[in-house]
Coordinates of all heavy atoms in Angstrom, one line a residue:
M1 N -11.1 -1.7 3.5 CA -10.0 -1.4 2.6 C -9.7 -2.6 1.6 O -9.6 -3.7 2.1 CB -8.7 -1.0 3.4 CG -7.5 -0.7 2.5 SD -6.1 -0.2 3.6 CE -5.5 1.0 2.6
T2 N -9.6 -2.3 0.3 CA -9.3 -3.4 -0.6 C -7.8 -3.7 -0.7 O -7.0 -2.8 -0.7 CB -9.8 -2.9 -2.0 OG1 -11.1 -2.6 -2.0 CG2 -9.5 -4.0 -3.1
K3 N -7.5 -5.0 -0.7 CA -6.1 -5.4 -0.8 C -5.7 -5.2 -2.3 O -6.4 -5.5 -3.2 CB -6.0 -6.9 -0.4 CG -6.2 -7.2 1.0 CD -6.0 -8.6 1.2 CE -6.5 -9.1 2.6 NZ -6.4 -10.5 2.8
R4 N -4.5 -4.7 -2.4 CA -3.9 -4.6 -3.8 C -2.5 -5.1 -3.8 O -1.7 -5.0 -2.9 CB -3.8 -3.1 -4.1 CG -5.1 -2.4 -4.4 CD -4.8 -0.9 -4.6 NE -3.7 -0.6 -5.5 CZ -3.9 0.1 -6.6 NH1 -5.0 0.5 -7.0 NH2 -2.8 0.3 -7.4
A5 N -2.2 -5.8 -4.9 CA -0.8 -6.3 -5.1 C -0.4 -5.6 -6.4 O -1.0 -5.8 -7.5 CB -0.8 -7.8 -5.2
E6 N 0.6 -4.8 -6.4 CA 1.1 -4.1 -7.6 C 2.3 -5.0 -8.2 O 3.2 -5.3 -7.5 CB 1.6 -2.7 -7.2 CG 0.5 -1.8 -6.8 CD 0.9 -0.4 -6.5 OE1 2.1 -0.2 -6.2 OE2 0.1 0.5 -6.5
F7 N 2.1 -5.3 -9.4 CA 3.1 -6.1 -10.1 C 3.8 -5.2 -11.1 O 3.3 -4.8 -12.2 CB 2.4 -7.2 -10.9 CG 3.3 -8.0 -11.8 CD1 4.6 -8.4 -11.4 CD2 2.9 -8.5 -13.0 CE1 5.5 -9.1 -12.2 CE2 3.7 -9.3 -13.8 CZ 5.0 -9.6 -13.4
F8 N 5.1 -4.8 -10.8 CA 5.9 -3.9 -11.7 C 6.6 -4.9 -12.6 O 7.4 -5.7 -12.1 CB 6.8 -3.1 -10.8 CG 6.1 -2.0 -10.1 CD1 5.5 -2.2 -8.9 CD2 6.1 -0.7 -10.7 CE1 4.9 -1.2 -8.2 CE2 5.4 0.3 -10.0 CZ 4.8 0.1 -8.8
F9 N 6.5 -4.7 -13.9 CA 7.0 -5.7 -14.8 C 7.5 -5.0 -16.1 O 7.1 -3.9 -16.5 CB 6.0 -6.7 -15.2 CG 4.9 -6.1 -16.1 CD1 5.0 -6.2 -17.5 CD2 3.8 -5.4 -15.5 CE1 4.0 -5.6 -18.3 CE2 2.8 -4.9 -16.3 CZ 2.9 -5.0 -17.7
D10 N 8.5 -5.7 -16.7 CA 8.9 -5.4 -18.0 C 9.2 -6.8 -18.6 O 10.1 -7.5 -18.1 CB 10.2 -4.5 -18.0 CG 10.7 -4.2 -19.4 OD1 10.3 -4.8 -20.4 OD2 11.5 -3.2 -19.5
Y11 N 8.5 -7.1 -19.7 CA 8.6 -8.5 -20.2 C 9.9 -8.7 -21.0 O 10.2 -9.8 -21.5 CB 7.4 -8.8 -21.1 CG 6.2 -9.1 -20.2 CD1 5.1 -8.4 -20.4 CD2 6.3 -10.1 -19.2 CE1 4.0 -8.6 -19.6 CE2 5.2 -10.3 -18.4 CZ 4.0 -9.6 -18.6 OH 2.9 -9.9 -17.8
T12 N 10.8 -7.7 -21.0 CA 12.2 -8.0 -21.4 C 12.8 -8.9 -20.4 O 13.8 -9.7 -20.8 CB 13.0 -6.7 -21.7 OG1 14.2 -7.1 -22.4 CG2 13.5 -6.1 -20.4
S13 N 12.4 -8.9 -19.2 CA 12.9 -9.8 -18.2 C 12.1 -11.1 -18.2 O 10.9 -11.1 -17.9 CB 12.8 -9.2 -16.8 OG 13.0 -10.1 -15.8
P14 N 12.7 -12.2 -18.4 CA 12.0 -13.5 -18.4 C 11.4 -13.8 -17.0 O 10.4 -14.5 -16.9 CB 13.0 -14.5 -18.8 CG 14.3 -13.9 -18.8 CD 14.1 -12.4 -18.7
F15 N 11.9 -13.1 -16.0 CA 11.4 -13.3 -14.6 C 10.0 -12.7 -14.5 O 9.2 -13.2 -13.7 CB 12.3 -12.8 -13.6 CG 13.6 -13.6 -13.4 CD1 14.7 -13.2 -14.0 CD2 13.5 -14.9 -12.8 CE1 15.9 -14.0 -13.9 CE2 14.7 -15.7 -12.7 CZ 15.9 -15.2 -13.3
S16 N 9.7 -11.7 -15.3 CA 8.3 -11.1 -15.3 C 7.3 -12.1 -15.9 O 6.2 -12.3 -15.4 CB 8.3 -9.8 -16.2 OG 8.9 -8.8 -15.6
Y17 N 7.8 -12.9 -16.9 CA 6.9 -13.9 -17.5 C 6.6 -15.0 -16.4 O 5.4 -15.4 -16.2 CB 7.6 -14.5 -18.7 CG 7.0 -15.9 -19.1 CD1 5.8 -16.0 -19.7 CD2 7.8 -17.0 -18.9 CE1 5.3 -17.2 -20.1 CE2 7.3 -18.3 -19.3 CZ 6.0 -18.3 -19.9 OH 5.5 -19.5 -20.3
L18 N 7.6 -15.4 -15.7 CA 7.4 -16.4 -14.7 C 6.5 -15.9 -13.6 O 5.6 -16.6 -13.1 CB 8.8 -16.9 -14.1 CG 9.7 -17.7 -15.1 CD1 11.1 -17.9 -14.5 CD2 9.0 -19.0 -15.5
A19 N 6.8 -14.7 -13.1 CA 6.0 -14.1 -12.0 C 4.5 -14.0 -12.5 O 3.6 -14.3 -11.7 CB 6.5 -12.8 -11.6
D20 N 4.3 -13.6 -13.7 CA 2.9 -13.4 -14.2 C 2.2 -14.7 -14.3 O 1.0 -14.8 -14.3 CB 2.9 -12.7 -15.5 CG 1.6 -12.2 -15.9 OD1 0.7 -11.9 -15.1 OD2 1.3 -12.1 -17.2
S21 N 2.9 -15.8 -14.4 CA 2.2 -17.1 -14.4 C 1.7 -17.5 -13.1 O 0.8 -18.4 -13.0 CB 3.2 -18.2 -15.0 OG 4.1 -18.6 -13.9
Q22 N 2.2 -16.9 -12.0 CA 1.8 -17.3 -10.7 C 1.0 -16.2 -9.9 O 0.1 -16.6 -9.1 CB 3.1 -17.6 -9.8 CG 4.0 -18.6 -10.4 CD 3.3 -19.9 -10.7 OE1 2.8 -20.5 -9.7 NE2 3.2 -20.4 -11.9
L23 N 1.2 -15.0 -10.2 CA 0.6 -13.9 -9.4 C -1.0 -13.9 -9.5 O -1.6 -13.6 -8.4 CB 1.2 -12.5 -9.8 CG 2.6 -12.3 -9.3 CD1 3.1 -11.0 -9.9 CD2 2.6 -12.2 -7.8
P24 N -1.6 -14.1 -10.6 CA -3.1 -14.0 -10.6 C -3.7 -15.0 -9.5 O -4.6 -14.6 -8.8 CB -3.5 -14.4 -12.0 CG -2.3 -13.9 -12.8 CD -1.1 -14.2 -12.0
A25 N -3.2 -16.2 -9.5 CA -3.7 -17.2 -8.5 C -3.4 -16.8 -7.1 O -4.2 -16.9 -6.2 CB -3.2 -18.6 -8.8
I26 N -2.2 -16.2 -6.9 CA -1.8 -15.8 -5.5 C -2.7 -14.6 -5.1 O -3.2 -14.6 -3.9 CB -0.3 -15.4 -5.5 CG1 0.6 -16.6 -5.7 CG2 0.0 -14.6 -4.2 CD1 2.0 -16.3 -5.9
A27 N -3.0 -13.7 -6.0 CA -3.9 -12.6 -5.7 C -5.3 -13.1 -5.4 O -5.9 -12.6 -4.4 CB -3.9 -11.6 -6.8
R28 N -5.8 -14.0 -6.1 CA -7.1 -14.5 -5.9 C -7.2 -15.2 -4.5 O -8.1 -14.9 -3.7 CB -7.5 -15.6 -6.9 CG -8.2 -15.1 -8.1 CD -8.8 -16.2 -9.0 NE -7.9 -17.2 -9.4 CZ -7.0 -17.1 -10.4 NH1 -7.0 -16.0 -11.1 NH2 -6.2 -18.1 -10.7
R29 N -6.2 -16.0 -4.2 CA -6.2 -16.7 -2.9 C -6.1 -15.7 -1.7 O -6.7 -15.9 -0.6 CB -5.0 -17.6 -2.7 CG -5.2 -18.9 -3.6 CD -4.2 -20.0 -3.2 NE -2.8 -19.6 -3.2 CZ -2.0 -19.7 -4.3 NH1 -2.5 -20.2 -5.4 NH2 -0.8 -19.3 -4.3
A30 N -5.5 -14.5 -1.9 CA -5.3 -13.5 -0.9 C -6.5 -12.5 -0.9 O -6.6 -11.7 -0.1 CB -4.0 -12.8 -1.1
G31 N -7.4 -12.7 -1.9 CA -8.5 -11.7 -2.0 C -8.0 -10.3 -2.4 O -8.6 -9.3 -2.0
A32 N -7.0 -10.3 -3.2 CA -6.4 -9.0 -3.6 C -6.6 -8.7 -5.0 O -6.6 -9.6 -5.9 CB -4.9 -9.0 -3.3
E33 N -6.7 -7.4 -5.3 CA -6.7 -7.0 -6.7 C -5.3 -6.9 -7.2 O -4.4 -6.3 -6.6 CB -7.3 -5.6 -6.8 CG -7.2 -4.9 -8.1 CD -7.6 -3.4 -8.1 OE1 -7.7 -2.8 -7.0 OE2 -7.7 -2.8 -9.1
L34 N -5.0 -7.5 -8.4 CA -3.7 -7.5 -9.0 C -3.6 -6.3 -10.0 O -4.4 -6.3 -10.9 CB -3.4 -8.8 -9.7 CG -2.0 -9.0 -10.3 CD1 -0.9 -8.8 -9.3 CD2 -1.9 -10.3 -11.0
V35 N -2.7 -5.4 -9.7 CA -2.6 -4.2 -10.5 C -1.3 -4.3 -11.3 O -0.2 -4.4 -10.7 CB -2.6 -2.9 -9.7 CG1 -2.4 -1.7 -10.5 CG2 -3.9 -2.9 -8.8
Y36 N -1.4 -4.3 -12.6 CA -0.2 -4.4 -13.5 C 0.4 -3.0 -13.7 O -0.3 -2.1 -14.1 CB -0.6 -5.0 -14.8 CG -0.8 -6.5 -14.8 CD1 -2.0 -7.0 -14.3 CD2 0.2 -7.4 -15.1 CE1 -2.2 -8.4 -14.2 CE2 0.0 -8.8 -15.0 CZ -1.2 -9.2 -14.6 OH -1.5 -10.6 -14.5
C37 N 1.7 -2.9 -13.4 CA 2.4 -1.6 -13.5 C 3.6 -1.8 -14.4 O 4.7 -2.1 -13.9 CB 2.8 -1.1 -12.1 SG 1.5 -1.0 -10.9
P38 N 3.5 -1.5 -15.7 CA 4.7 -1.6 -16.5 C 5.7 -0.5 -16.2 O 5.4 0.6 -15.8 CB 4.1 -1.4 -17.9 CG 2.8 -0.6 -17.7 CD 2.3 -1.0 -16.4
F39 N 7.0 -0.9 -16.3 CA 8.1 0.0 -16.1 C 9.2 -0.4 -17.1 O 9.3 -1.6 -17.5 CB 8.5 0.1 -14.7 CG 9.4 -1.0 -14.2 CD1 10.8 -0.8 -14.0 CD2 8.9 -2.2 -13.9 CE1 11.6 -1.8 -13.6 CE2 9.7 -3.3 -13.5 CZ 11.1 -3.0 -13.3
F40 N 10.1 0.5 -17.4 CA 11.1 0.3 -18.3 C 12.4 -0.2 -17.6 O 13.1 0.6 -17.0 CB 11.4 1.5 -19.1 CG 12.4 1.3 -20.2 CD1 12.4 0.3 -21.1 CD2 13.5 2.2 -20.4 CE1 13.3 0.1 -22.1 CE2 14.4 2.1 -21.4 CZ 14.3 1.0 -22.2
L41 N 12.6 -1.5 -17.6 CA 13.7 -2.1 -16.8 C 15.1 -1.5 -17.3 O 16.0 -1.3 -16.5 CB 13.7 -3.6 -16.9 CG 14.8 -4.4 -16.2 CD1 14.7 -4.1 -14.7 CD2 14.7 -5.8 -16.4
G42 N 15.2 -1.3 -18.6 CA 16.5 -0.7 -19.1 C 16.8 0.6 -18.5 O 18.0 0.9 -18.2
G43 N 15.8 1.4 -18.3 CA 16.0 2.8 -17.7 C 16.4 2.6 -16.3 O 17.3 3.4 -15.8
V44 N 15.8 1.7 -15.6 CA 16.1 1.5 -14.1 C 17.5 1.0 -14.0 O 18.3 1.5 -13.2 CB 15.1 0.6 -13.5 CG1 15.6 0.2 -12.1 CG2 13.7 1.2 -13.4
M45 N 17.9 0.1 -14.9 CA 19.3 -0.5 -14.8 C 20.3 0.6 -15.1 O 21.3 0.7 -14.5 CB 19.4 -1.7 -15.8 CG 18.6 -2.9 -15.3 SD 18.9 -4.3 -16.3 CE 20.5 -4.8 -15.6
Q46 N 20.0 1.4 -16.1 CA 20.9 2.5 -16.5 C 21.0 3.5 -15.3 O 22.1 4.0 -15.0 CB 20.4 3.2 -17.7 CG 21.4 4.3 -18.2 CD 20.9 4.9 -19.5 OE1 19.7 4.9 -19.9 NE2 21.8 5.5 -20.2
A47 N 19.9 3.9 -14.7 CA 19.9 4.9 -13.7 C 20.6 4.4 -12.4 O 21.2 5.2 -11.7 CB 18.5 5.3 -13.3
T48 N 20.7 3.1 -12.2 CA 21.3 2.5 -11.0 C 22.7 2.0 -11.3 O 23.4 1.5 -10.4 CB 20.5 1.4 -10.4 OG1 20.3 0.4 -11.4 CG2 19.1 1.9 -10.0
G49 N 23.2 2.1 -12.6 CA 24.5 1.6 -12.9 C 24.6 0.1 -12.9 O 25.7 -0.4 -12.8
N50 N 23.5 -0.5 -13.1 CA 23.5 -2.0 -13.2 C 23.8 -2.5 -14.6 O 23.7 -1.7 -15.5 CB 22.1 -2.5 -12.8 CG 22.1 -3.9 -12.2 OD1 23.0 -4.7 -12.5 ND2 21.1 -4.3 -11.4
Q51 N 24.2 -3.7 -14.7 CA 24.6 -4.3 -16.0 C 23.6 -5.4 -16.4 O 23.1 -6.1 -15.5 CB 26.0 -4.8 -16.0 CG 27.0 -3.6 -15.8 CD 28.4 -4.2 -15.8 OE1 28.7 -5.3 -16.2 NE2 29.4 -3.4 -15.4
T52 N 23.4 -5.6 -17.6 CA 22.6 -6.7 -18.1 C 23.2 -8.1 -17.8 O 24.5 -8.2 -17.8 CB 22.2 -6.6 -19.6 OG1 23.5 -6.8 -20.3 CG2 21.6 -5.3 -19.9
P53 N 22.4 -9.1 -17.6 CA 23.0 -10.5 -17.4 C 24.0 -10.9 -18.6 O 25.0 -11.5 -18.3 CB 21.8 -11.4 -17.3 CG 20.7 -10.5 -16.9 CD 21.0 -9.2 -17.5
G54 N 23.6 -10.5 -19.8 CA 24.5 -10.9 -20.9 C 25.8 -10.2 -20.9 O 26.8 -10.8 -21.5
S55 N 26.0 -9.1 -20.2 CA 27.3 -8.5 -20.2 C 28.2 -9.0 -19.1 O 29.4 -8.7 -19.0 CB 27.1 -7.0 -20.0 OG 26.6 -6.7 -18.7
L56 N 27.7 -9.9 -18.2 CA 28.4 -10.5 -17.2 C 28.3 -12.0 -17.3 O 27.2 -12.6 -16.9 CB 27.9 -10.0 -15.8 CG 28.0 -8.5 -15.6 CD1 27.2 -8.2 -14.3 CD2 29.4 -8.1 -15.4
P57 N 29.3 -12.7 -17.8 CA 29.1 -14.1 -18.1 C 28.6 -15.0 -16.9 O 27.8 -15.8 -17.1 CB 30.5 -14.6 -18.5 CG 31.1 -13.3 -19.1 CD 30.6 -12.2 -18.2
A58 N 29.1 -14.7 -15.7 CA 28.7 -15.5 -14.6 C 27.2 -15.3 -14.3 O 26.5 -16.2 -14.0 CB 29.6 -15.2 -13.3
R59 N 26.8 -14.1 -14.4 CA 25.4 -13.7 -14.1 C 24.5 -14.4 -15.2 O 23.4 -14.9 -14.9 CB 25.1 -12.2 -14.1 CG 23.7 -11.9 -13.7 CD 23.4 -10.4 -13.9 NE 24.0 -9.6 -12.9 CZ 23.9 -8.3 -12.8 NH1 23.1 -7.7 -13.6 NH2 24.5 -7.6 -11.8
G60 N 24.9 -14.4 -16.4 CA 24.2 -15.0 -17.5 C 24.0 -16.5 -17.3 O 22.9 -17.1 -17.5
R61 N 25.1 -17.2 -16.9 CA 25.0 -18.6 -16.6 C 24.0 -18.9 -15.5 O 23.2 -19.8 -15.5 CB 26.4 -19.2 -16.3 CG 27.3 -19.3 -17.6 CD 28.5 -20.1 -17.3 NE 29.3 -19.5 -16.2 CZ 30.2 -18.6 -16.3 NH1 30.4 -18.0 -17.5 NH2 30.9 -18.1 -15.3
W62 N 24.2 -18.1 -14.4 CA 23.3 -18.3 -13.2 C 21.8 -18.1 -13.6 O 20.9 -18.9 -13.3 CB 23.7 -17.3 -12.1 CG 22.7 -17.4 -11.0 CD1 22.6 -18.2 -10.0 CD2 21.6 -16.5 -10.8 NE1 21.6 -17.9 -9.1 CE2 20.9 -16.9 -9.7 CE3 21.1 -15.4 -11.6 CZ2 19.8 -16.2 -9.2 CZ3 20.0 -14.7 -11.1 CH2 19.3 -15.2 -10.0
M63 N 21.6 -17.0 -14.4 CA 20.2 -16.7 -14.8 C 19.6 -17.8 -15.6 O 18.5 -18.2 -15.4 CB 20.2 -15.4 -15.6 CG 18.9 -14.9 -16.0 SD 19.0 -13.3 -16.8 CE 17.6 -13.4 -17.9
A64 N 20.4 -18.4 -16.6 CA 19.8 -19.5 -17.4 C 19.4 -20.7 -16.5 O 18.4 -21.3 -16.7 CB 20.9 -19.9 -18.4
R65 N 20.3 -21.1 -15.6 CA 20.0 -22.2 -14.7 C 18.8 -21.9 -13.8 O 17.9 -22.7 -13.5 CB 21.2 -22.5 -13.8 CG 22.3 -23.2 -14.6 CD 23.4 -23.8 -13.7 NE 24.0 -22.8 -12.9 CZ 25.1 -22.2 -13.1 NH1 25.8 -22.4 -14.2 NH2 25.6 -21.3 -12.3
D66 N 18.7 -20.6 -13.3 CA 17.7 -20.3 -12.4 C 16.3 -20.3 -13.1 O 15.3 -20.7 -12.6 CB 17.9 -18.9 -11.8 CG 17.2 -18.6 -10.5 OD1 17.0 -19.5 -9.7 OD2 16.7 -17.5 -10.4
L67 N 16.3 -19.7 -14.3 CA 15.1 -19.7 -15.1 C 14.6 -21.2 -15.4 O 13.4 -21.4 -15.3 CB 15.3 -19.0 -16.5 CG 15.4 -17.5 -16.3 CD1 15.9 -16.9 -17.6 CD2 14.1 -16.9 -16.0
A68 N 15.5 -22.1 -15.7 CA 15.1 -23.5 -15.9 C 14.5 -24.1 -14.7 O 13.5 -24.8 -14.7 CB 16.3 -24.3 -16.4
R69 N 15.1 -23.8 -13.5 CA 14.6 -24.3 -12.2 C 13.2 -23.8 -12.0 O 12.3 -24.6 -11.6 CB 15.5 -24.0 -11.1 CG 16.8 -24.8 -11.0 CD 17.5 -24.6 -9.7 NE 18.0 -23.2 -9.6 CZ 19.2 -22.9 -9.8 NH1 20.1 -23.8 -10.2 NH2 19.6 -21.6 -9.7
W70 N 13.0 -22.5 -12.1 CA 11.7 -21.9 -11.8 C 10.6 -22.4 -12.8 O 9.5 -22.7 -12.4 CB 11.8 -20.4 -11.8 CG 12.4 -19.9 -10.5 CD1 13.6 -19.3 -10.3 CD2 11.8 -19.9 -9.2 NE1 13.8 -19.0 -9.0 CE2 12.7 -19.4 -8.3 CE3 10.6 -20.4 -8.7 CZ2 12.4 -19.2 -6.9 CZ3 10.3 -20.3 -7.3 CH2 11.2 -19.7 -6.5
S71 N 11.0 -22.5 -14.0 CA 9.9 -23.0 -15.0 C 9.6 -24.4 -14.7 O 8.4 -24.8 -14.8 CB 10.4 -22.8 -16.4 OG 11.5 -23.6 -16.7
R72 N 10.5 -25.3 -14.3 CA 10.2 -26.6 -13.9 C 9.3 -26.7 -12.7 O 8.3 -27.4 -12.6 CB 11.5 -27.4 -13.6 CG 12.1 -28.1 -14.8 CD 13.1 -29.2 -14.4 NE 14.1 -28.7 -13.4 CZ 15.2 -28.0 -13.7 NH1 15.5 -27.7 -15.0 NH2 16.0 -27.7 -12.8
R73 N 9.7 -25.8 -11.7 CA 8.9 -25.8 -10.4 C 7.4 -25.4 -10.7 O 6.5 -25.9 -10.1 CB 9.5 -24.8 -9.5 CG 8.7 -24.6 -8.2 CD 9.5 -24.2 -7.0 NE 8.8 -23.7 -5.9 CZ 8.0 -24.4 -5.1 NH1 7.8 -25.7 -5.4 NH2 7.5 -23.9 -4.1
Y74 N 7.3 -24.4 -11.6 CA 5.9 -23.9 -11.9 C 5.2 -24.7 -12.9 O 4.0 -24.6 -13.1 CB 6.0 -22.4 -12.3 CG 6.4 -21.4 -11.3 CD1 7.1 -20.3 -11.7 CD2 6.2 -21.6 -10.0 CE1 7.5 -19.3 -10.8 CE2 6.6 -20.7 -9.0 CZ 7.3 -19.5 -9.5 OH 7.7 -18.6 -8.5
G75 N 5.9 -25.6 -13.6 CA 5.3 -26.4 -14.6 C 4.8 -25.6 -15.8 O 3.8 -26.0 -16.4
I76 N 5.6 -24.6 -16.2 CA 5.2 -23.8 -17.4 C 6.3 -23.9 -18.4 O 7.5 -24.0 -18.0 CB 4.9 -22.3 -17.0 CG1 6.1 -21.7 -16.3 CG2 3.7 -22.3 -16.1 CD1 5.9 -20.2 -16.2
P77 N 6.0 -23.8 -19.7 CA 7.1 -23.8 -20.7 C 7.9 -22.6 -20.7 O 7.4 -21.5 -20.4 CB 6.3 -24.0 -22.0 CG 4.9 -23.4 -21.7 CD 4.7 -23.6 -20.2
F78 N 9.2 -22.8 -21.0 CA 10.1 -21.6 -21.1 C 11.1 -21.9 -22.1 O 11.8 -22.9 -22.0 CB 10.7 -21.2 -19.7 CG 11.6 -20.1 -19.9 CD1 11.1 -18.8 -19.9 CD2 13.0 -20.2 -20.0 CE1 11.9 -17.7 -20.0 CE2 13.8 -19.2 -20.2 CZ 13.3 -17.9 -20.2
R79 N 11.3 -21.0 -23.0 CA 12.4 -21.0 -24.0 C 13.0 -19.6 -24.0 O 12.2 -18.7 -24.1 CB 11.9 -21.5 -25.4 CG 11.7 -22.9 -25.5 CD 11.6 -23.4 -27.0 NE 11.2 -22.3 -27.9 CZ 10.0 -22.3 -28.5 NH1 9.1 -23.2 -28.3 NH2 9.7 -21.3 -29.3
S80 N 14.2 -19.5 -24.1 CA 14.9 -18.2 -24.2 C 14.5 -17.6 -25.5 O 14.5 -18.2 -26.6 CB 16.4 -18.3 -24.1 OG 16.7 -18.7 -22.8
N81 N 14.3 -16.3 -25.5 CA 14.0 -15.5 -26.7 C 15.3 -15.3 -27.5 O 16.2 -14.7 -26.9 CB 13.3 -14.2 -26.3 CG 12.9 -13.4 -27.5 OD1 13.4 -13.5 -28.6 ND2 11.9 -12.5 -27.2
P82 N 15.3 -15.7 -28.7 CA 16.6 -15.5 -29.5 C 16.9 -14.0 -29.7 O 18.0 -13.6 -29.9 CB 16.3 -16.1 -30.8 CG 14.9 -16.3 -30.9 CD 14.3 -16.3 -29.5
S83 N 15.9 -13.1 -29.5 CA 16.1 -11.6 -29.6 C 16.5 -11.0 -28.3 O 16.5 -9.8 -28.2 CB 14.9 -11.0 -30.2 OG 14.6 -11.5 -31.4
F84 N 16.7 -11.8 -27.2 CA 17.0 -11.2 -25.9 C 18.3 -10.6 -25.8 O 19.3 -11.2 -26.3 CB 16.9 -12.4 -24.8 CG 17.1 -11.9 -23.4 CD1 16.1 -11.3 -22.7 CD2 18.3 -12.1 -22.8 CE1 16.4 -10.9 -21.4 CE2 18.6 -11.7 -21.5 CZ 17.6 -11.1 -20.8
P85 N 18.5 -9.5 -25.2 CA 17.5 -8.6 -24.6 C 16.9 -7.7 -25.8 O 17.6 -7.4 -26.7 CB 18.2 -7.8 -23.6 CG 19.6 -7.7 -24.1 CD 19.9 -9.0 -24.9
M86 N 15.7 -7.4 -25.6 CA 15.1 -6.5 -26.6 C 14.6 -5.2 -25.9 O 14.4 -5.2 -24.7 CB 13.9 -7.2 -27.3 CG 12.8 -7.6 -26.4 SD 12.9 -9.4 -26.4 CE 12.2 -9.8 -24.9
N87 N 14.4 -4.2 -26.7 CA 13.9 -2.9 -26.2 C 12.4 -3.0 -26.2 O 11.7 -3.0 -27.2 CB 14.4 -1.8 -27.1 CG 14.1 -0.4 -26.5 OD1 13.1 -0.3 -25.8 ND2 14.9 0.6 -26.9
T88 N 11.8 -2.9 -25.0 CA 10.4 -3.0 -24.8 C 9.7 -1.6 -24.6 O 8.5 -1.6 -24.3 CB 10.0 -3.9 -23.7 OG1 10.7 -3.4 -22.5 CG2 10.5 -5.3 -23.9
L89 N 10.5 -0.6 -24.7 CA 9.9 0.8 -24.4 C 8.7 1.1 -25.2 O 7.7 1.5 -24.6 CB 11.0 1.9 -24.6 CG 10.6 3.3 -24.2 CD1 10.2 3.3 -22.7 CD2 11.8 4.2 -24.5
T90 N 8.6 0.9 -26.5 CA 7.5 1.2 -27.3 C 6.3 0.4 -26.8 O 5.2 0.9 -26.7 CB 7.8 1.0 -28.8 OG1 8.9 1.8 -29.1 CG2 6.6 1.3 -29.6
A91 N 6.5 -0.9 -26.6 CA 5.4 -1.8 -26.2 C 4.8 -1.4 -24.8 O 3.6 -1.4 -24.6 CB 5.8 -3.2 -26.1
L92 N 5.7 -1.0 -23.9 CA 5.3 -0.6 -22.6 C 4.5 0.7 -22.6 O 3.6 0.9 -21.9 CB 6.5 -0.4 -21.7 CG 7.2 -1.7 -21.3 CD1 8.6 -1.4 -20.7 CD2 6.3 -2.5 -20.3
R93 N 4.8 1.6 -23.5 CA 4.1 2.8 -23.7 C 2.7 2.6 -24.2 O 1.8 3.4 -23.9 CB 4.8 3.8 -24.6 CG 6.0 4.4 -23.9 CD 6.7 5.4 -24.9 NE 7.9 6.0 -24.2 CZ 8.8 6.6 -24.8 NH1 8.9 6.7 -26.1 NH2 9.8 7.2 -24.1
G94 N 2.5 1.5 -25.0 CA 1.2 1.2 -25.5 C 0.3 0.7 -24.5 O -0.9 1.0 -24.4

């Protein structure tokens, strides 16, 4: 049986970018096939009654600090997108 790691992502989330910087190497080390599974985060948030980080000031502050910590730990560049959040539905359908 082949090992598979499914990566559900929407690049509107900066955490998807951070995860994608690490997952290929993790999958290789585990001998697993990495399967990219795009999904529409906005739709999931709406269906679950969740709110975006920008609509909750405390969550937005935490998220900014957390993203800075993870990018330092992984040693990858990160700058916030001035268009955040954006609608990625069309890109995900492509």
Side-chain angles (χ1 to χ4, degrees):
M1 177 178 221
T2 303
K3 294 180 189 177
R4 288 174 48 118
E6 294 181 338
F7 174 39
F8 288 83
F9 70 96
D10 182 339
Y11 287 122
T12 195
S13 169
F15 290 103
S16 287
Y17 163 72
L18 292 173
D20 193 28
S21 75
Q22 305 302 302
L23 286 173
I26 293 169
R28 268 192 308 279
R29 286 194 305 269
E33 171 192 12
L34 182 57
V35 180
Y36 286 81
C37 304
F39 80 105
F40 186 48
L41 182 59
V44 172
M45 292 186 77
Q46 184 178 21
T48 59
N50 206 335
Q51 296 179 13
T52 63
S55 66
L56 301 168
R59 185 187 288 180
R61 286 189 304 275
W62 172 84
M63 183 175 150
R65 288 191 302 265
D66 201 39
L67 288 166
R69 282 191 296 261
W70 282 110
S71 66
R72 271 194 314 274
R73 173 155 170 66
Y74 293 150
I76 60 170
F78 179 81
R79 282 194 336 250
S80 293
N81 183 337
S83 299
F84 180 79
M86 59 251 155
N87 186 334
T88 56
L89 185 57
T90 302
L92 289 166
R93 286 180 176 162

